[in-house]
Amino acid sequence: QVQLVESGGGLVQAGGSLRLSCAASGRTFSMYAMAWFRQAPGKEREFVAIIRWSGGRVYYADSVKGRFTISRDNAKNTVYLHMNSLKPEDTAVYYCAADKYYSGSSWTEYDYWGQGTQVTVSS
């Protein structure tokens, strides 16, 4: 079992930055692929970024490539999402997800989820 707790959301002006954190319970954190998804009102949950297991290979959605950076600190059981050059269309609830065997972009495949943190970008 893995429990995930996100933090770091808030209100920021367009062009600004935020760093989201996702703290995970459990002693085998490095064995899980960790991903960020987001969901805007009235829209489907969409993939943002993923970092794979202890090797740390990363992948991004095209919409955030070059602006967002995902990283993980296995010693702290934490994954981060550094968001720069934020745009109003980045406004959404951001969710952290984990899975031991799946490391793709389909949110339905992830076993563990955090409660979400709101990010609002004003124009």
Side-chain angles (χ1 to χ4, degrees):
Q1 284 285 348
V2 175
Q3 291 185 325
L4 305 173
V5 179
E6 301 100 332
S7 60
L11 173 63
V12 64
Q13 286 189 331
S17 300
L18 281 176
R19 187 185 77 165
L20 305 184
S21 300
C22 174
S25 64
R27 291 177 288 180
T28 58
F29 174 75
S30 65
M31 298 175 65
Y32 287 77
M34 302 296 299
W36 288 95
F37 290 80
R38 65 187 182 186
Q39 189 166 17
K43 294 189 176 181
E44 271 201 34
R45 192 166 297 192
E46 66 172 356
F47 168 75
V48 175
I50 185 172
I51 185 164
R52 288 182 169 175
W53 301 291
S54 57
R57 292 187 68 179
V58 299
Y59 298 91
Y60 298 95
D62 288 343
S63 58
V64 306
K65 205 172 292 183
R67 300 188 298 122
F68 291 12
T69 302
I70 188 171
S71 62
R72 67 191 296 163
D73 185 336
N74 288 336
K76 294 183 178 180
N77 280 15
T78 301
V79 63
Y80 304 97
L81 186 68
H82 302 259
M83 305 186 295
N84 297 320
S85 302
L86 282 161
K87 304 175 182 179
E89 51 263 44
D90 294 318
T91 295
V93 177
Y94 283 70
Y95 296 92
C96 175
D99 202 273
K100 201 168 184 179
Y101 303 106
Y102 179 75
S103 61
S105 60
S106 175
W107 70 269
T108 59
E109 299 295 323
Y110 284 81
D111 285 339
Y112 303 103
W113 290 88
Q115 81 288 351
T117 185
Q118 176 71 46
V119 171
T120 302
V121 184
S122 63
S123 56

